[in-house]
DNA sequence: GCAAAAGTGTTGGGATTACACCCATGG
DNA sequence: CCATGGGTGTAATCCCAACACTTTTGC
């Protein structure tokens, strides 16, 4: 280090994670009960301060792993929040990230020390600081992005059925789609590989499992895939 | 302030602005020649450190105004950059913003003390730190967003012609569009108000001026307006 | 009167929507 | 044997892309 910039103020920099999961019924986020002051006992997003030798992405991955035990999951920077008084203790700039995980891979025991719990998106408790704002923005971004790109597969297990997928979309947009049109659209992308076996947990007939073709998924991610009719009206 | 978080490292936090302008021919960004060490004399984005009592958005607006004299222009947070060694002097987290301005409103004299200059997007000089990365991301984001929402009006003067608008789109996507389809699409949104007078600088016949209907613009901003055919292939 | 840019209309194909019936099976 | 959810086909419509000629006027 040659020298330092003189006279400028330094701040704490944190990362907060909005972690989405889907249990087959509703879309949920993972919250923790703060174990330290201020606001001990209140609900909050999982977060942490950025360490001297890690990048922001690394910090987000570290924090996500600490709470869920998961690595290599979908994680995207959402927005930087920097209101001077957002944290009453001391000015902290927070970079919010949102993660999409397969809720079944989530290891409950790891997170018990944090008193973590899943909350349905329409029953979020009061949150500390500006975390509710972060959650709202993340939800908007998820709707927006999912209307254009096939990211919701990240919330499903490796094998899933088309009715499950449709349930997920319907849950996120709080609406219903025509199942014939939905399955035609989804299958026409060629992103899904049909499996020989069926999921019989929801019907006597059973629904075929599909797996995501990861190769085509990566190749076509940027392409606009519109599984969602009239997204304009739904993303707010 | 009750107390402080113990044992955590503090960092400098900066804001850097990617300022886009359109001169009727090509899309350009505004760069400055650094007047201080390190890297004095090298080209760089306009930036500055976040002050104790301002939010990130306020910092970005302040910096934009300092360089261009403009207020109330389109300004959007792009991404936070936080590699531990992105600034060799001292760890600095930078929040990048991108701005779209009417290049004609830009006051050259204000910026002379910064040695500011406009550079066409395909002739950007070498930049300090990770600023080139920021520029590339901003360009991608501009293409992406402009393919879905009518933001490019922000780059044009209050009165403009449809051929001018088409030129702008063609410049940004480095391609050409059919003018009949283009003008039909643009006019069908109802966003434009035809003026009685013409711009005769580009042809003998002259092209009618239009003004943006700001009310409808705000109301329809979220709606997906696709002036750009096959955006999939163009946004990279 | 001609060059150069502005402006406008039609048509065919592909995509999207709306809609209804049969299938498989566990109970 | 029947209730439940899974799976599929078709027709009407809309949207979009492709395409060519007329208009205006400064020189």
């Amino acid at each position: 280090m040659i020298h330092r910039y003189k006279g400028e103020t330094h701040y704490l920099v944190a990362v907060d994670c909005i972690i989405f999961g889907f249990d087959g019924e509703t879309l949920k986020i993972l919250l923790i009960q703060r174990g330290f002051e201020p606001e001990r006992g209140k609900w909050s997003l999982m977060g942490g301060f950025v360490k001297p030798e890690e990048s922001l992405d690394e910090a987000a991955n570290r924090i996500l792993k600490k709470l869920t035990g998961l690595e290599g999951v979908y994680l995207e920077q959402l927005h930087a929040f920097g209101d001077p008084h957002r944290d009453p203790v001391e000015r902290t700039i927070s970079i919010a990230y949102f993660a999409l995980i397969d809720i079944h891979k989530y290891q409950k025991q790891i997170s018990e020390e944090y008193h973590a719990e899943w909350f349905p998106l329409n029953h979020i408790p009061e949150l500390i600081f500006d975390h509710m704002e972060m959650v709202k923005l993340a939800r908007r971004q998820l709707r927006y992005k999912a209307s254009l790109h096939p990211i919701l597969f990240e919330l499903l297990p490796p094998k899933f059925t088309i009715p499950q997928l449709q349930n997920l979309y319907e849950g996120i947009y709080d609406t219903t789609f025509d199942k014939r049109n939905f399955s035609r659209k989804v299958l026409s992308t060629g992103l899904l590989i049909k499996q020989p076996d069926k999921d019989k947990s929801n019907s006597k007939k059973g629904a075929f499992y599909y797996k995501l073709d990861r190769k085509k998924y990566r190749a076509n991610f940027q392409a606009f895939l519109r599984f969602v009719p009239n997204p304009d009206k739904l993303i707010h």
Side-chain angles (χ1 to χ4, degrees), chain A:
Chain A
M1 199 177 292
I2 317 170
H3 51 35
R4 303 182 130 242
Y5 297 108
K6 294 288 182 196
E8 300 291 346
T9 312
H10 294 65
Y11 308 102
L12 287 172
V13 177
V15 160
D16 287 303
C17 293
I18 299 101
I19 302 168
F20 289 98
F22 180 65
D23 64 3
E25 295 282 320
T26 40
L27 187 66
K28 296 180 168 173
I29 62 172
L30 190 58
L31 299 173
I32 64 170
Q33 224 169 356
R34 257 168 95 95
F36 54 93
E37 297 297 340
E39 311 266 11
R40 179 200 295 266
K42 284 255 192 84
W43 292 100
S44 133
L45 293 169
M46 181 73 183
F49 295 107
V50 174
K51 304 294 178 200
E53 282 302 321
E54 69 184 0
S55 68
L56 303 176
D57 285 2
E58 283 161 2
N61 275 295
R62 168 174 61 78
I63 285 158
L64 184 67
K65 185 176 179 193
K66 200 157 60 164
L67 180 61
T68 65
L70 298 176
E71 283 179 287
V73 303
Y74 187 92
L75 185 61
E76 178 182 333
Q77 194 189 108
L78 178 65
H79 195 77
F81 291 79
D83 186 273
H85 306 291
R86 52 175 296 281
D87 183 328
V89 174
E90 180 182 349
R91 180 160 192 188
T92 305
I93 282 80
S94 171
I95 321 295
Y97 278 76
F98 77 98
L100 307 180
I101 72 170
D102 173 5
I103 205 169
H104 307 100
K105 286 201 188 128
Y106 163 73
Q107 320 268 343
K108 195 180 162 83
Q109 63 284 10
I110 292 178
S111 72
E112 253 163 24
E113 67 172 294
Y114 296 104
H115 301 274
E117 245 176 73
W118 288 97
F119 287 86
L121 260 184
N122 34 9
H123 292 97
I124 306 292
E126 200 187 331
L127 299 179
I128 64 162
F129 305 167
D130 51 0
H131 286 195
M132 188 61 92
E133 209 185 317
M134 293 179 180
V135 170
K136 287 208 172 117
L137 186 65
R139 193 182 100 122
R140 258 233 307 272
Q141 177 65 6
L142 181 62
R143 283 188 172 187
Y144 185 88
K145 196 144 186 183
S147 79
L148 296 166
H149 305 287
I151 52 172
L152 296 187
F153 294 111
E154 306 285 353
L155 290 165
L156 292 173
K159 275 167 52 175
F160 54 87
T161 68
I162 291 184
Q164 270 169 35
L165 183 63
Q166 184 171 350
N167 257 336
L168 173 54
Y169 273 86
E170 292 183 342
I172 284 183
Y173 294 102
D174 195 25
T175 184
T176 59
F177 304 131
D178 182 275
K179 65 177 172 173
R180 292 159 289 190
N181 294 336
F182 184 83
S183 86
R184 190 191 0 257
K185 264 194 214 183
V186 168
L187 292 173
S188 76
T189 63
L191 287 177
L192 298 191
I193 304 167
K194 193 174 194 169
Q195 303 302 111
D197 50 335
K198 285 182 161 186
D199 166 32
K200 298 214 167 188
S201 60
N202 290 308
S203 76
K204 335 255 159 130
K205 185 178 178 184
F208 278 107
Y209 280 118
Y210 287 83
K211 279 189 356 194
L212 185 61
D213 185 333
R214 288 267 158 196
K215 213 168 182 171
K216 287 192 188 161
Y217 172 69
R218 271 190 294 276
N220 285 17
F221 191 82
Q222 275 293 9
F224 294 124
L225 304 176
R226 312 169 123 277
F227 297 158
V228 183
N230 293 321
D232 308 23
K233 292 166 189 145
L234 300 171
I235 56 180
H236 311 298

